[in-house]
């Protein structure tokens, strides 16, 4: 007898519909899984067999063939355990298949029949909804994650026995329901605030510009000057995430298994700060079974690279594509996967190995060769892709000891939101662009028109600073953002002058 069960897998960051076909035939007892299963899927036969027996059901002494269709795409993970077990029991005649045909099924089985959580439930729930299925059966630990999708019945399953009883019509299970708008608001909180930062007003101003236009930032200064503290607070002044952005980001965290069961929707901007020992695959994504890397985990948020020169040079070079394109292409012999990677990059660096080159109060003990070797670890093309280059000096004692708090993140964010609304209106007919940092040459020519005084200033700046064409365009993007913050349609000399001084160290 043949049974067919809807299930799903993950391909890149999207769900893939998989039909689990189970056939029971006469012959010597054996269990075969086909359809390009990986090791974890092939091992499911042992878990399924033990779970069926330990739940009090009879495991059929027949020739069992399980096909995972489409058969030309590799399948991985333990999420096929539950659909395979239900397929075997349905093909054995334990219960009628009519109800099972209306649901997508996903879950890992323990040997006693308990259903364990699996990664990637959210994208599978999305693909099940697109297919018009009535609902999805998921592990209880994944119930909130699946319910985020909406417009699909989510049934939380604790055990194989409960799943059988529900599909046989012997028990009723109430669907899990979530209020998406309330979830988006309740999870959008941060545990840090700009009001905790003493001094560094010029850096705060630059970070406000970065948040307003989506620009990348380099923070350069001695140890203890507050570079990390400032970077960690950038995400608190970025605009609130829309539901679509939150869903897109949550999919990535679901796939890599980093989604907290109590927080099914990531509603605040991600902040990722990988250690400098990270590999290129860890940063950009990849591996034998390609998975998203840190640049994708930072999607719609902030990627912070502290101690930039300590990162391996070849690791830093792989950042070029996502910085330009906003995504990552992972090519393999049989497939090419796209991972989203649209983020604000913030990098921090000391001026030299000891950190005190140019410091007025502490002497640098590095040689010229050491300083040159240290700063030379970061390539010019990568630095050229960073819009704002900032000097972060040591904070004077008077400012550290000042009991007055600085401006809060909420106050800064109010101005950032107003500036972003100006940009949304400007680019409303172009769905590829939502902020000034994403402008191409055509948009720069259209929205960054210069008068004679601005042209003369830029000409001198390009010659004196030795800027590339990319650097020139980035000055115009920054100036456009500053003008938007001032509520000006036309770029003025003050806007261009401020933009130039953020590139003087580039």
């Amino acid at each position: 007898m043949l049974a067919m069960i809807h299930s799903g897998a993950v391909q890149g960051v999207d769900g893939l519909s998989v039909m689990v076909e189970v056939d029971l035939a006469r012959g010597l007892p054996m269990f075969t899984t086909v359809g390009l299963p990986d090791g974890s899927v092939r091992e499911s036969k042992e878990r399924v067999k033990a779970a069926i027996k330990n739940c009090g059901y009879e495991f059929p002494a027949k020739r069992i063939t399980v096909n995972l269709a489409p058969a030309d795409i590799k399948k991985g993970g333990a999420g096929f355990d539950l659909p395979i077990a239900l397929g075997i029991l349905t093909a054995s005649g334990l219960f009628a298949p009519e109800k099972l045909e209306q649901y997508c099924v996903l879950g890992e089985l323990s040997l006693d029949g308990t259903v364990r959580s699996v990664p990637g439930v959210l994208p599978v729930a999305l693909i099940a909804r697109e297919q018009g299925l009535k609902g999805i059966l998921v592990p209880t630990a994944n119930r909130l994650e699946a319910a985020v999708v909406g417009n699909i019945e989510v049934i939380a399953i604790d055990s194989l026995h409960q799943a059988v009883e529900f599909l046989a019509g012997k028990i009723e299970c109430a669907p899990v329901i979530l209020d998406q708008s309330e979830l988006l608001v309740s999870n959008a909180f941060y545990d840090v605030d700009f009001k905790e930062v003493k001094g560094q007003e010029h850096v705060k101003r630059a970070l406000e510009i970065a948040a307003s236009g989506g620009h990348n930032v380099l923070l350069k200064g001695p140890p203890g000057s507050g570079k990390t503290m400032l970077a960690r607070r950038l995400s608190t002044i970025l605009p609130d995430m829309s539901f679509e952005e939150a869903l897109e980001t949550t999919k990535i965290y679901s796939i890599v298994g980093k989604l907290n069961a109590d927080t099914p929707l990531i509603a605040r901007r991600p902040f990722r700060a990988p250690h400098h020992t990270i590999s290129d695959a860890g940063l950009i994504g990849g591996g034998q079974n390609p998975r998203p890397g840190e640049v994708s985990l930072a999607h719609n948020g902030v990627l912070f690279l502290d101690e930039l020169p300590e990162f391996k040079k070849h690791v830093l070079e792989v950042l070029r594509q996502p910085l330009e394109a906003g995504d990552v292409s992972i090519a393999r012999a049989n497939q090419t996967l796209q991972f989203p990677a649209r983020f604000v990059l913030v990098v921090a660096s000391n001026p030299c190995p000891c950190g005190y080159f140019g410091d007025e109060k502490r002497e640098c003990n590095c040689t010229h060769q050491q300083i040159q070797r240290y700063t030379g670890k970061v390539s010019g093309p990568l630095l050229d892709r960073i819009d704002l280059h900032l000097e972060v000096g040591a904070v004077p004692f008077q400012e550290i000891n000042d009991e007055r708090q600085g401006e809060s993140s909420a106050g800064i964010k109010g101005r950032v939101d107003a500036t972003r609304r100006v940009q949304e209106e400007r680019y409303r007919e172009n769905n590829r662009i939502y902020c000034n940092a994403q402008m191409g040459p055509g948009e720069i020519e259209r929205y960054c028109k210069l008068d004679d005084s601005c042209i003369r200033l830029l000409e001198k700046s390009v010659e004196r600073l030795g800027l590339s064409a990319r650097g020139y365009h980035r000055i115009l993007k920054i100036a456009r953002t500053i003008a938007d913050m001032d509520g000006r349609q036309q770029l003025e000399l003050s806007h261009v002058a401020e933009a130039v001084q953020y590139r003087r160290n580039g």
Side-chain angles (χ1 to χ4, degrees):
M1 186 175 176
L2 178 67
M4 303 180 72
I5 304 92
H6 294 282
S7 188
V10 174
Q11 189 175 32
V13 293
D14 298 314
L16 172 69
S17 176
V18 176
M19 184 65 72
V20 179
E21 303 171 346
V22 181
D23 179 67
L24 302 187
R26 294 180 180 179
L28 292 174
M30 62 183 301
F31 195 128
T32 306
T33 304
V34 297
L36 286 184
D38 69 359
S40 60
V41 179
R42 287 192 296 270
E43 290 174 353
S44 66
K45 64 180 180 182
E46 305 299 336
R47 295 190 295 272
V48 167
K49 186 175 182 179
I52 289 176
K53 289 183 176 180
N54 290 326
C55 284
Y57 304 115
E58 182 180 351
F59 189 83
K62 294 185 178 182
R63 178 171 181 157
I64 303 173
T65 303
V66 176
N67 179 45
L68 306 177
D72 60 340
I73 298 176
K74 191 170 183 177
K75 324 296 189 309
F80 296 110
D81 289 4
L82 183 58
I84 289 174
L86 292 174
I88 291 173
L89 295 176
T90 304
S92 300
L94 184 64
F95 61 91
E98 285 77 14
K99 194 171 185 178
L100 179 59
E101 293 171 354
Q102 304 173 40
Y103 289 87
C104 179
V105 183
L106 205 63
E108 176 185 346
L109 288 174
S110 61
L111 300 184
D112 64 353
T114 302
V115 180
R116 293 176 172 167
S117 64
V118 293
V121 167
L122 179 57
V124 173
L126 286 168
I127 203 72
R129 185 184 66 179
E130 291 176 11
Q131 288 186 314
L133 295 177
K134 180 181 179 181
I136 180 170
L137 271 63
V138 298
T140 298
N142 297 116
R143 68 192 186 282
L144 298 179
E145 176 186 347
V148 165
V149 173
N151 298 323
I152 187 171
E153 190 177 285
V154 177
I155 305 298
I157 299 298
D158 289 314
S159 65
L160 175 61
H161 178 72
Q162 180 190 1
V164 171
E165 294 290 289
F166 170 74
L167 294 170
K170 296 181 179 179
I171 63 171
E172 290 295 327
C173 296
V176 181
I177 300 174
L178 282 181
D179 187 331
Q180 296 175 341
S181 57
E182 181 182 345
L183 197 62
L184 192 63
V185 173
S186 62
N187 289 334
F189 63 91
Y190 298 89
D191 53 5
V192 294
D193 197 289
F194 261 104
K195 67 182 180 182
E196 301 154 355
V197 181
K198 300 293 182 68
Q200 306 293 11
E201 296 304 322
H202 72 291
V203 184
K204 292 179 185 177
R205 162 72 175 176
L207 291 179
E208 182 179 339
I209 294 171
S212 298
H215 304 289
N216 303 320
V217 183
L218 166 65
L219 303 174
K220 191 173 185 179
S225 57
K227 301 187 294 294
T228 302
M229 187 178 189
L230 287 158
R232 288 189 178 278
R233 283 152 180 77
L234 178 59
S235 56
T236 68
I237 62 173
L238 290 172
D240 293 330
M241 295 180 78
S242 65
F243 182 76
E244 290 72 22
E245 286 180 317
L247 198 63
E248 194 175 31
T249 303
T250 305
K251 281 169 59 177
I252 299 169
Y253 279 73
S254 171
I255 290 164
V256 299
K258 292 184 178 291
L259 193 61
N260 191 326
D262 298 326
T263 310
L265 184 70
I266 295 177
R268 62 179 180 179
R269 301 281 177 182
F271 178 86
R272 302 296 300 180
H275 194 259
H276 63 259
T277 56
I278 192 171
S279 66
D280 51 354
L283 183 64
I284 210 76
Q288 185 175 2
N289 296 316
R291 286 161 53 92
E294 288 290 335
V295 297
S296 295
L297 291 171
H299 182 59
N300 290 323
V302 175
L303 177 66
F304 177 51
L305 303 182
D306 199 5
E307 304 294 345
L308 184 67
E310 300 298 335
F311 283 79
K312 297 181 182 68
K313 192 166 186 176
H314 72 276
V315 172
L316 292 178
E317 293 308 305
V318 299
L319 281 172
R320 294 191 196 182
Q321 181 198 347
L323 285 175
E324 292 292 337
D327 58 30
V328 176
S329 295
I330 305 294
R332 293 293 181 266
N334 59 345
Q335 62 179 341
T336 299
L337 301 176
Q338 296 284 129
F339 296 136
R342 192 173 57 244
F343 54 87
V344 175
L345 176 67
V346 181
V347 299
S349 171
N350 293 330
C352 66
C354 78
Y356 297 105
F357 178 70
D359 192 277
E360 297 178 355
K361 297 181 179 179
R362 299 195 61 170
E363 184 179 354
C364 173
N365 55 18
C366 302
T367 65
H368 177 71
Q369 289 77 12
Q370 286 175 324
I371 296 174
Q372 205 168 34
R373 192 182 309 117
Y374 181 77
T375 56
K377 291 180 180 179
V378 183
S379 70
L382 178 61
L383 288 176
D384 208 27
R385 287 170 167 81
I386 300 176
D387 303 359
L388 293 92
H389 297 247
L390 309 174
E391 292 285 349
V392 185
V395 182
F397 173 79
Q398 291 79 4
E399 294 183 0
I400 297 176
N401 197 46
D402 193 344
E403 294 182 357
R404 292 174 299 176
Q405 290 185 328
E407 187 177 12
S408 68
S409 292
I412 301 172
K413 182 177 176 298
R415 297 193 296 271
V416 171
D417 288 342
T419 307
R420 283 293 184 101
R421 285 193 290 271
V422 171
Q423 296 169 50
E424 288 174 7
E425 178 65 21
R426 177 184 300 135
Y427 307 124
R428 67 183 185 277
E429 296 178 359
N430 190 336
N431 57 15
R432 298 181 300 104
I433 299 176
Y434 67 90
C435 64
N436 290 332
Q438 296 178 321
M439 286 193 294
E443 289 79 23
I444 291 174
E445 184 177 353
R446 180 178 179 184
Y447 300 118
C448 300
K449 297 186 181 299
L450 303 171
D451 59 23
D452 291 340
S453 61
C454 293
I455 292 174
R456 286 194 298 271
L457 175 61
L458 273 175
E459 183 180 6
K460 292 179 181 178
S461 301
V462 168
E463 291 177 358
R464 183 174 300 174
L465 300 177
L467 296 176
S468 65
R470 182 186 290 115
Y472 168 76
H473 282 157
R474 289 186 184 276
I475 286 178
L476 293 180
K477 293 178 184 180
I478 297 168
R480 179 68 268 169
T481 299
I482 297 170
D484 290 342
M485 293 169 68
D486 285 349
R488 300 286 193 273
Q489 289 289 335
Q490 180 69 28
L491 296 189
E492 300 175 2
L493 185 62
S494 61
H495 305 143
V496 177
E498 185 177 359
V500 168
Q501 64 110 359
Y502 292 129
R503 296 289 303 186
R504 70 186 186 278
N505 297 313

